[in-house]
Amino acid sequence: MRRKSLVLALIVVLLVVAGGWWWKSRAATRGDASAATAGAGGASGPAGMQAVGVVTALRRDVPVVVEASGTVSPINQVDLRAQTTSTIRDVLVKDGQTVAKGQVLFRFDDRADRANLDKARAQLARDKASLSDLQRQYERAKELLAQKFVAQSAVDTAQASLDSGRSLVDADDAAVQSAAVALSYNEIRAPFAGRAGAVNVWPGSLVQASATGTPLVNIVQIDPIAISFNLPETELAPVLQALRPGADGARPTPPEVQVVLPTIEGGPARGKGGRNGEPVVRGKLVFVDNLVDSTTGTIKLKAEFDNAQQKLWPGQYLRVRMTLRSIADAVVIPQAAVILRGSDRQVYVVGPDKTAQLKPVKLRYTFGEMAVVDGVDAGAIVVLDGKQNLRPGTPVRTQPAAVNPAAAARLAEAAEAASASTSSSTSAAASASSGARVGAAAGG
């Protein structure tokens, strides 16, 4: 009987403990739910106010720039070939050598052509001597005719012989010039200043007059140099507009073309003027093709660049940027702030009463992450973050957007200053600690 009472008492105690544990866990669950509800209410602010990230619409001049892939191509390029059959006597150019206009590059064995020139000159001298004799005979015949010693036919014959001698001298003179031209083929000179490629012949090599086959050497002009690139046909009208003369007939200034030079991977960019300090070479547009390629829908253009430093190399593949015009006093906002709804473009702006207002805008031009728009005034507060949760008239609490360039720059400067301050503090602490250790050691 006593044992049964102990068992019942133990059961009662266990039930009480289990009930207490269940009651505490239920109360904790209700507390967490209440905290979550309170947190949700705090995120939207008092009276349903929505927190949003905003940027300020800026007014500035925006250049209209088009980009394309281009290939460096020489303005002048030539394959030098022999115009006569001979053997090479001298090779005066080396692989990759820079040559000047008129510089002698090759000399051939010219003994046969030089002998032909000497022969032609000797023939000319002989016929000139004969011509002088015919001239004297003609003068003598005229004197005899005046004295009635010969008939008119004798004078006519002398005249015909003189004219024939003159024609023979003219033919000999042409033969001398022809032999001189043939002799000049034995010496090959650079037709323009440039850079030589690989030399494909050596002294003693046999060369023949041929328009095909391996050339003696190839020469390309390096300075100035050109870059060829293609643009979509939709860009043709702005390009032609930029090349048209002004209203007063003034000659147009060709659009500026920029090329971003590649830098060594992992090394610092050299030069100024490009994005992120990239080196830039500037040139001018000199050619627009007269036909649009119907298969690709593109138009071919060419720009010319000064290349005294030889930063551009024939065949190089580069990115080209061309400035067509400038949009003056444009209103600029981030593209991410624009809401796309079918063909409509809209943005949320914060009104004076701290409520969201939906305004229609028109995109005029986009560049990078920014866009030029009509429909928003400069200085307007434009919603960038949190716009998906807004409705017109929603009360908002503003804060700088995370992608705001100005805010990002300020944050970067603050972080850099904090880092420098931390480094200075750490250095000072280390110095003080080191001094204390030295002092302790000296004291010991």
Side-chain angles (χ1 to χ4, degrees):
M1 198 61 189
R2 187 176 182 180
R3 184 176 296 175
K4 290 182 179 180
S5 301
L6 291 175
V7 171
L8 290 175
L10 183 59
I11 292 174
V12 171
V13 171
L14 291 175
L15 291 175
V16 171
V17 172
W21 176 82
W22 174 80
W23 181 262
K24 288 182 178 181
S25 62
R26 184 179 180 184
T29 303
R30 288 179 178 177
D32 293 342
S34 299
T37 304
S44 59
M49 184 174 290
Q50 179 69 40
V52 293
V54 298
V55 295
T56 303
L58 305 176
R59 184 181 298 278
R60 63 175 180 172
D61 295 342
V62 177
V64 178
V65 179
V66 293
E67 294 193 6
S69 299
T71 303
V72 182
S73 58
I75 296 177
N76 290 317
Q77 179 178 358
V78 63
D79 289 335
L80 296 181
R81 303 177 187 274
Q83 292 181 273
T84 183
T85 299
S86 182
T87 56
I88 295 180
R89 188 181 69 189
D90 298 313
V91 177
L92 305 176
V93 62
K94 298 180 179 180
D95 296 342
Q97 179 181 344
T98 300
V99 299
K101 182 178 180 179
Q103 179 178 337
V104 180
L105 307 180
F106 301 94
R107 287 195 180 100
F108 300 159
D109 184 3
D110 59 354
R111 290 173 295 177
D113 291 321
R114 192 171 296 279
N116 290 335
L117 178 60
D118 293 340
K119 180 180 178 181
R121 286 173 176 171
Q123 182 69 30
L124 175 62
R126 187 186 67 178
D127 290 340
K128 281 184 176 181
S130 299
L131 179 62
S132 298
D133 182 61
L134 293 173
Q135 180 70 33
R136 289 190 294 270
Q137 292 181 18
Y138 174 68
E139 296 296 336
R140 190 179 302 113
K142 289 196 298 181
E143 292 175 358
L144 294 176
L145 177 62
Q147 297 175 8
K148 305 296 184 180
F149 285 110
V150 295
Q152 180 64 38
S153 58
V155 177
D156 294 340
T157 301
Q159 178 69 47
S161 299
L162 178 62
D163 293 340
S164 178
R166 287 173 177 170
S167 299
L168 188 59
V169 168
D170 291 340
D172 292 340
D173 190 30
V176 170
Q177 296 180 21
S178 178
V181 171
L183 179 63
S184 68
Y185 291 159
N186 292 279
E187 191 174 76
I188 295 184
R189 297 175 178 268
F192 50 81
R195 186 180 178 92
V199 179
N200 299 313
V201 292
W202 298 267
S205 300
L206 176 66
V207 293
Q208 296 179 340
S210 174
T212 60
T214 304
L216 305 178
V217 71
N218 172 270
I219 296 179
V220 297
Q221 182 176 344
I222 300 295
D223 182 30
I225 205 165
I227 294 183
S228 301
F229 58 98
N230 294 335
L231 288 179
E233 58 183 330
T234 54
E235 303 291 347
L236 178 59
V239 171
L240 295 179
Q241 180 64 32
L243 292 174
R244 288 193 180 97
D248 55 352
R251 189 173 182 179
T253 302
E256 183 185 72
V257 181
Q258 299 180 359
V259 173
V260 179
L261 298 179
T263 56
I264 299 176
E265 185 176 356
R270 305 180 185 275
K272 298 181 180 179
R275 299 174 182 174
N276 302 322
E278 295 170 328
V280 169
V281 177
R282 291 176 171 83
K284 60 182 179 179
L285 185 67
V286 296
F287 168 74
V288 179
D289 202 0
N290 58 354
L291 292 175
V292 174
D293 190 342
S294 58
T295 58
T296 60
T298 59
I299 184 75
K300 184 177 181 181
L301 300 94
K302 184 180 292 186
E304 184 176 316
F305 296 81
D306 291 332
N307 195 33
Q309 302 298 324
Q310 298 187 2
K311 295 181 179 179
L312 302 177
W313 210 252
Q316 197 173 10
Y317 181 84
L318 297 170
R319 292 293 296 175
V320 176
R321 294 199 297 259
M322 181 169 62
T323 303
L324 296 179
R325 56 190 176 90
S326 180
I327 303 176
D329 296 330
V331 177
V332 179
I333 63 173
Q335 290 191 54
V338 180
I339 302 172
L340 307 180
R341 293 178 179 172
S343 59
D344 297 333
R345 304 291 184 268
Q346 300 170 325
V347 297
Y348 274 109
V349 298
V350 179
D353 56 352
K354 297 297 181 180
T355 60
Q357 300 176 2
L358 191 61
K359 285 194 173 185
V361 294
K362 179 181 179 182
L363 285 178
R364 295 180 58 188
Y365 175 64
T366 60
F367 59 102
E369 297 180 354
M370 310 301 287
V372 176
V373 298
D374 289 335
V376 176
D377 297 329
I381 306 302
V382 180
V383 177
L384 182 59
D385 298 333
K387 60 184 180 297
Q388 66 275 6
N389 299 324
L390 295 180
R391 296 293 183 272
T394 302
V396 295
R397 177 167 50 87
T398 62
Q399 61 186 14
V403 295
N404 184 359
R410 288 194 298 270
L411 290 175
E413 292 175 358
E416 185 177 355
S419 176
S421 176
T422 303
S423 300
S424 300
S425 301
T426 304
S427 299
S431 299
S433 177
S434 175
R437 288 195 298 269
V438 172

